[in-house]
Amino acid sequence: MLTLLSMFYYICLRRRSRSGTRGEALTSRRAVESGQRAVLPISVEVEQYAKEVLDFSSHYGSENSMSYTMWNLAGVPNVYPSSGDFTQTAVFRAYGTWWEQCASAPPPFRRTPKAFHSQDYIELGFEEPVYPTAVEVLETYYPGTIVQILACSHNPFSQNPPTDVRWEVLWSGEPTKVLTPQARQFSPTIKHIGFPTNLLRLEVNSSLLDYYTELDAVILRGLIQLILSHLTLPDLCRLAQSCKLLHQHCCDPLQYTQLSLQPYWGRLSDASLGHLQGRCTLLQRLNLSWTGNRGALTLTGFSSFMKACGLSLGCLELSCCHFLNEPCLEVISQTCPALQDLNLSSCDRLQPQAFAHISKLTRLRRLVLYRTKIEQTAILSILTFCIELKHLNLGSCVRIEDYDVVASMLAARCRSLCSLDLWRCRNLTDRGLAELVSGCRMLEELDLGWCPTLQSSTGCFQQLARCLPRLRKLFLTANRTVCDSDVEELAGSCPSLQHLDILGTRLVSAASLKKLLQSCPRLLLLDVSFCSQIDMRVVQELSSLFPKVAIKKSFTQ
Amino acid sequence: MLSVLSYGRLVARAVIGGLSQTDSRDYSLVTASCGFGKDFCKGILKKGTCYGDDACFIARHRSADVLGVADGVGGWRDYGVDPSQFSGTLMKTCERLVKEGRFVPSNPVGVLTTSYYELLQNKVPLLGSSTACIVVLDRQSHQLHTANLGDSGFLVVRGGEVVHRSDEQQHYFNTPFQLSIAPPGAEGAVLSDSPRAPSDLCVCADSPDAADSSCFDVQLGDIILTATDGLFDNMPDYMILQELKKLKNSNYESIQKAARSIAEQAHVLAYDPNYMSPFAQFACDNGLNVRGGKPDDITVLLSIVAEYTD
């Protein structure tokens, strides 16, 4: 009888909690505090894998692939408890500090709070909103990357537009380096929060890791019904707290020349931008990466801010800013005539026609378009007018139809090009590459990873080496045609080489690698993962002969 | 008077016939697998879904049951490449695609195309080639969609007779169509399978689009046999049908028993030097004086169309 009653209460209350608004929930909490007992006899703990990956800042794999892409983090684990470098896991684009060492990396922003270490993020939706009791991350390769876990009050699967979106930190920590690359289950002690959630965000920092980290699954444990006597005090000063850090900025008497709002991504709104406007008229560098999603920033707030501070702005970081649309880009092109540095990395919801406005920013020197939908016409237009470009990132820009034409245009117009990222540019051939290296002789960094249409037999890599004596970074990841002659040519022609990635070729021998290591004294990173002629014994031998070089050999067992 | 009655009977039959065709139950495939690697040792060491250089998978999704077989082309061994790696990885990738719902039941060629693309996304430099045969049962529409590239294939048996079968795709004798990843410089290479024929390269590229596809209705009780050429080259239809007659119900155990019996028979016949196997017959028809079975990896997937039960 008691069981039946309990079940009855549970079913009724569960229905009520589903249809109740936040206001009702608060009211019931106040009712409890004032002494009235709410009858909640049952709390049910559920365990869920992620239902869907909603957003992320980067990944290693190809768009639309299920190999090494972020979408693998949803659902049940495929690899855990095994360890190793497997296709079925979620892998971010970078690791270590290699990318920070490159000329293409922007200098860090001053006044970034010490507690903010996040480099990448991923957002996961779960089926059922719960009050979280535990979050477990199954890491299957080089673990230790998670630095922050947050929960959101908004249900990403609801039809209603987001209102009053709150992000609460469940756990945060320092970047760590785990001693072995083996798989582990990471389950930090999380804070208890006052609202149910089915949207989690993991923020990661891989700077201490020796290789790409890989994640297999995330488990969210939580209570569907809460035993109210265990609840913490209600969060009445939420508003004041969220503004506390921003408040400090607002009251600072100095005018900002550099401002990074990325650490406050969860709390930045049109209103906060409005408060800051007065302090930013001399702004030279602005970081709004990760901000403004789910309605927090709008065209109105953004344009007002840009009109106030755009004149002197030289650098604008807008990575993962999903609030951006074509009018926003138009505003940028109109208000920031001096802009030299623009980052639109992973703005994958920005429509192709928006990119046309970038060609008006003729002073551009650094342009990052990683994982955007830019198309052929727009990029050619940009290259026609932005002839001062020194750093260009077109990684995973899948909508560009003919990379040979792009390469040709670069060679003709952007002669001072210093770094070029063409990661996963699926149709670049030796013709385009030949033109590129003939025209852009100042190139120091070139990422041609996962470009399957480049064939070593055409001599294109040897020509590349001969044409680019300043070369410091070269990625030929997963180009299965890289051979000994290519490595030997690099040894002979590129004495400044520092980073080289030749993952996955069967044609390179230990002998030519030795020549390379002898001829390139500045070499710091050499990735020979999945090179079938280079086994662990060779790696150990070379490492002992050349101790300054980090020789990477990934494994699957 | 009589004509009215017979007319009435015709109408009644038509109506009843029409009613019984609308079967709103979901169908499913109850499938068992059995096989033998050509090299005994290999067959034992590998997991259950790999028999020698053959590989197979059985996967379920909300909307469909999917099976596949892939016959790794043996000629790669001469070049230092393990032929079972390609076929095994291809089948595992197809299985993963199905389980994650990244496919359309009416487009089995799409399963092959996407799997092949995913193989190229692997950091590991895979090499090798294989045939592939994919069979998809759309639970709701009761349609079987198939894609076949090469000389593996399927039979559909209804009432003791073969009502559908796949066609073999061959470039040359014993050189089937094949999905392949070749080493640089040998793009488009196609290798022949068995040691009986010389393993020379010829320039033919087999893209997944070259697969034959077909689509037809199935009925409850239909038997679907999907297998690699190790079976069809050693066992003619009448022997297979004889074995299938012994299948009395759609229990997994009965199907497993029948699959095992078929695979075992084919395995025995393969090593019989005097037996006029279908392979030997075909060779003779093409001017090669050959007799006996054809030792080969054998993979048999036997399915019965049954009602879907969760």
Side-chain angles (χ1 to χ4, degrees):
Chain A
M1 190 61 190
L2 201 64
T3 331
L4 276 172
L5 264 174
S6 315
M7 278 173 61
F8 175 73
Y9 273 128
Y10 169 64
I11 292 164
C12 289
L13 287 160
R14 189 173 163 175
R15 244 187 243 136
R16 192 180 139 239
S17 83
R18 276 222 187 109
S19 59
T21 61
R22 257 195 80 246
E24 271 180 52
L26 271 173
T27 317
S28 74
R29 277 221 294 270
R30 288 206 193 100
V32 170
E33 270 133 307
S34 68
Q36 298 167 28
R37 304 269 310 147
V39 186
L40 291 170
I42 289 179
S43 70
V44 179
E45 192 181 54
V46 293
E47 191 177 281
Q48 313 174 65
Y49 290 109
K51 173 176 164 174
E52 196 183 324
V53 170
L54 300 167
D55 190 15
F56 55 92
S57 53
S58 80
H59 59 190
Y60 185 93
S62 188
E63 308 305 298
N64 293 324
S65 169
M66 52 181 201
S67 304
Y68 317 109
T69 49
M70 278 294 129
W71 301 296
N72 289 335
L73 202 53
V76 301
N78 296 102
V79 172
Y80 187 84
S82 300
S83 310
D85 192 347
F86 291 103
T87 57
Q88 304 99 308
T89 56
V91 189
F92 292 100
R93 176 75 174 85
Y95 72 97
T97 54
W98 309 110
W99 278 260
E100 269 112 78
Q101 295 172 19
C102 295
S104 51
F109 276 73
R110 291 200 293 265
R111 291 168 178 240
T112 303
K114 285 205 195 84
F116 183 73
H117 312 286
S118 309
Q119 294 176 327
D120 273 302
Y121 74 87
I122 177 169
E123 291 183 358
L124 304 160
F126 294 79
E127 180 71 56
E128 192 71 50
V130 294
Y131 294 89
T133 52
V135 176
E136 290 161 20
V137 183
L138 302 180
E139 306 173 82
T140 50
Y141 203 44
Y142 287 96
T145 193
I146 317 277
V147 288
Q148 202 160 219
I149 303 175
L150 303 101
C152 188
S153 60
H154 172 66
N155 183 340
F157 303 120
S158 81
Q159 302 302 329
N160 312 325
T163 51
D164 201 16
V165 173
R166 272 165 68 183
W167 284 94
E168 202 67 51
V169 175
L170 295 182
W171 175 85
S172 84
E174 301 274 310
T176 53
K177 180 177 175 156
V178 178
L179 286 172
T180 66
Q182 304 303 328
R184 76 162 185 188
Q185 180 176 309
F186 179 63
S187 189
T189 314
I190 60 169
K191 192 175 106 183
H192 289 287
I193 56 173
F195 55 82
T197 179
N198 64 335
L199 171 54
L200 288 189
R201 174 167 165 137
L202 304 184
E203 294 191 349
V204 303
N205 179 312
S206 305
S207 58
L208 296 180
L209 301 182
D210 285 337
Y211 207 62
Y212 297 93
T213 189
E214 300 191 354
L215 309 177
D216 200 0
V218 176
I219 300 161
L220 170 62
R221 279 227 183 83
L223 299 175
I224 290 193
Q225 270 304 331
L226 203 55
I227 299 171
L228 288 183
S229 54
H230 295 166
L231 243 195
T232 52
L233 285 170
D235 220 32
L236 286 171
C237 30
R238 170 184 67 85
L239 213 60
Q241 260 194 354
S242 71
C243 276
K244 188 166 128 192
L245 287 154
L246 285 178
H247 194 61
Q248 282 171 359
H249 277 301
C250 296
C251 291
D252 197 311
L254 292 174
Q255 287 282 335
Y256 291 113
T257 53
Q258 283 194 29
L259 183 60
S260 174
L261 295 171
Q262 185 180 352
Y264 317 110
W265 61 264
R267 297 154 188 167
L268 199 73
S269 62
D270 279 351
S272 0
L273 277 190
H275 288 311
L276 286 164
Q277 219 166 283
R279 309 279 157 202
C280 293
T281 51
L282 299 179
L283 209 54
Q284 289 169 13
R285 301 182 71 215
L286 174 64
N287 184 351
L288 286 174
S289 292
W290 299 6
T291 64
N293 299 331
R294 296 192 172 87
L297 285 183
T298 67
L299 172 63
T300 323
F302 181 71
S303 1
S304 159
F305 189 78
M306 295 312 293
K307 281 177 189 140
C309 74
L311 208 57
S312 49
L313 205 59
C315 164
L316 185 53
E317 302 276 337
L318 293 170
S319 168
C320 306
C321 288
H322 300 308
F323 71 89
L324 290 175
N325 51 23
E326 192 192 338
C328 291
L329 280 244
E330 191 176 9
V331 163
I332 296 172
S333 71
Q334 289 163 345
T335 56
C336 308
L339 203 63
Q340 295 187 327
D341 203 326
L342 179 61
N343 183 353
L344 293 169
S345 186
S346 286
C347 288
D348 55 359
R349 290 162 221 190
L350 201 48
Q351 293 308 306
Q353 53 270 30
F355 297 93
H357 297 286
I358 299 176
S359 44
K360 299 179 206 149
L361 301 165
T362 55
R363 310 273 290 277
L364 273 182
R365 293 195 173 186
R366 174 175 166 260
L367 179 59
V368 181
L369 297 171
Y370 170 67
R371 287 187 71 242
T372 61
K373 293 193 174 121
I374 187 168
E375 289 175 350
Q376 187 89 356
T377 331
I379 185 63
L380 292 178
S381 171
I382 293 169
L383 298 181
T384 309
F385 294 107
C386 303
I387 58 175
E388 290 179 48
L389 269 178
K390 292 194 75 178
H391 305 287
L392 178 62
N393 185 333
L394 295 174
S396 290
C397 287
V398 297
R399 301 281 190 103
I400 294 178
E401 288 138 26
D402 191 339
Y403 273 95
D404 282 345
V405 175
V406 173
S408 185
M409 186 65 113
L410 277 166
R413 304 290 294 173
C414 305
R415 299 248 158 184
S416 51
L417 199 65
C418 173
S419 82
L420 180 61
D421 188 325
L422 294 179
W423 172 264
R424 293 190 181 273
C425 293
R426 44 202 179 89
N427 54 29
L428 181 72
T429 73
D430 55 288
R431 281 179 299 120
L433 186 59
E435 280 191 73
L436 176 72
V437 301
S438 315
C440 301
R441 294 296 183 122
M442 313 285 276
L443 270 174
E444 291 175 21
E445 296 166 29
L446 188 51
D447 192 332
L448 299 170
W450 296 90
C451 294
T453 37
L454 293 170
Q455 304 284 326
S456 167
S457 54
T458 59
C460 61
F461 298 133
Q462 293 179 50
Q463 188 187 3
L464 186 160
R466 285 192 294 267
C467 287
L468 303 178
R470 294 166 179 245
L471 201 61
R472 293 198 288 152
K473 166 177 169 170
L474 181 63
F475 271 36
L476 295 172
T477 322
N479 184 303
R480 320 294 181 172
T481 67
V482 174
C483 63
D484 281 336
S485 322
D486 300 323
V487 174
E488 280 158 20
E489 190 65 57
L490 282 169
S493 307
C494 303
S496 306
L497 202 58
Q498 291 180 324
H499 300 173
L500 179 65
D501 182 336
I502 52 167
L503 178 150
T505 174
R506 291 171 168 256
L507 306 174
V508 169
S509 68
S512 64
L513 284 183
K514 215 180 226 171
K515 270 191 212 143
L516 179 81
L517 287 159
Q518 282 161 350
S519 314
C520 300
R522 304 208 193 133
L523 201 62
L524 295 171
L525 171 67
L526 177 62
D527 195 333
V528 292
S529 302
F530 305 106
C531 290
S532 37
Q533 292 186 44
I534 314 294
D535 58 20
M536 276 316 295
R537 197 191 45 81
V538 170
V539 170
Q540 274 153 19
E541 186 201 324
L542 291 174
S543 293
S544 59
L545 289 171
F546 304 96
K548 278 197 299 178
V549 187
I551 304 180
K552 306 293 184 186
K553 182 147 184 74
S554 191
F555 63 89
T556 49
Q557 279 317 315
Chain B
M1 189 68 191
L2 215 61
S3 61
V4 170
L5 271 172
S6 53
Y7 184 68
R9 224 187 302 152
L10 270 169
V11 170
R13 224 181 263 159
V15 168
I16 292 166
L19 280 175
S20 70
Q21 256 158 31
T22 54
D23 183 352
S24 61
R25 296 169 289 180
D26 276 1
Y27 286 177
S28 78
L29 291 176
V30 183
T31 310
S33 72
C34 186
F36 293 92
K38 180 169 56 187
D39 178 352
F40 285 109
C41 299
K42 270 210 173 140
I44 293 166
L45 282 172
K46 290 275 167 72
K47 282 194 289 200
T49 51
C50 271
Y51 305 105
D53 299 335
D54 282 357
C56 64
F57 79 93
I58 303 165
R60 322 205 79 184
H61 183 258
R62 235 182 13 251
S63 59
D65 279 316
V66 187
L67 355 144
V69 295
D71 183 347
V73 170
W76 287 95
R77 205 162 262 118
D78 299 340
Y79 294 84
V81 178
D82 175 5
S84 66
Q85 196 191 31
F86 186 93
S87 54
T89 315
L90 180 70
M91 291 290 97
K92 278 206 195 76
T93 309
C94 288
E95 184 180 9
R96 202 186 147 205
L97 270 180
V98 170
K99 283 194 176 142
E100 296 191 10
R102 292 171 173 252
F103 74 110
V104 175
S106 57
N107 186 11
V109 175
V111 173
L112 282 182
T113 314
T114 313
S115 290
Y116 182 70
Y117 171 76
E118 288 294 337
L119 288 193
L120 296 171
Q121 301 307 310
N122 199 322
K123 287 183 185 180
V124 176
L126 294 170
L127 283 183
S129 60
S130 79
T131 66
C133 182
I134 306 279
V135 169
V136 182
L137 172 69
D138 185 329
R139 289 199 215 285
Q140 231 188 10
S141 76
H142 306 162
Q143 290 193 310
L144 205 70
H145 302 273
T146 70
N148 185 45
L149 184 93
D151 61 1
S152 303
F154 67 90
L155 291 177
V156 181
V157 173
R158 183 181 298 157
E161 283 178 9
V162 176
V163 294
H164 295 283
R165 74 184 325 134
S166 55
D167 294 318
E168 263 192 24
Q169 293 178 322
Q170 298 268 8
H171 287 293
Y172 305 97
F173 177 68
N174 209 34
T175 309
F177 277 37
Q178 50 200 262
L179 284 177
S180 72
I181 299 178
E187 269 80 43
V190 162
L191 297 185
S192 73
D193 194 7
S194 89
R196 287 189 192 226
S199 49
D200 47 331
L201 303 178
C202 58
V203 188
C204 310
D206 292 322
S207 116
D209 303 316
D212 269 340
S213 54
S214 71
C215 157
F216 41 84
D217 291 322
V218 289
Q219 299 173 7
L220 288 174
D222 280 356
I223 300 172
I224 302 159
L225 176 85
T226 315
T228 55
D229 66 342
L231 174 71
F232 300 117
D233 282 345
N234 286 306
M235 236 175 132
D237 278 4
Y238 78 86
M239 277 193 207
I240 297 175
L241 290 172
Q242 240 172 13
E243 282 306 312
L244 292 179
K245 275 199 182 66
K246 300 177 190 166
L247 203 50
K248 290 301 171 196
N249 56 43
S250 45
N251 286 349
Y252 176 76
E253 290 73 29
S254 319
I255 301 172
Q256 174 73 77
K257 198 163 151 210
R260 177 158 269 271
S261 156
I262 291 171
E264 272 170 356
Q265 270 193 41
H267 188 63
V268 165
L269 291 169
Y271 286 92
D272 183 342
N274 297 315
Y275 162 62
M276 201 60 185
S277 64
F279 175 77
Q281 186 62 61
F282 184 70
C284 286
D285 295 344
N286 283 275
L288 286 169
N289 191 10
V290 153
R291 199 178 177 84
K294 176 188 161 215
D296 195 0
D297 303 314
I298 296 164
T299 302
V300 174
L301 295 182
L302 191 60
S303 319
I304 293 195
V305 179
E307 264 183 61
Y308 177 62
T309 50
D310 206 343

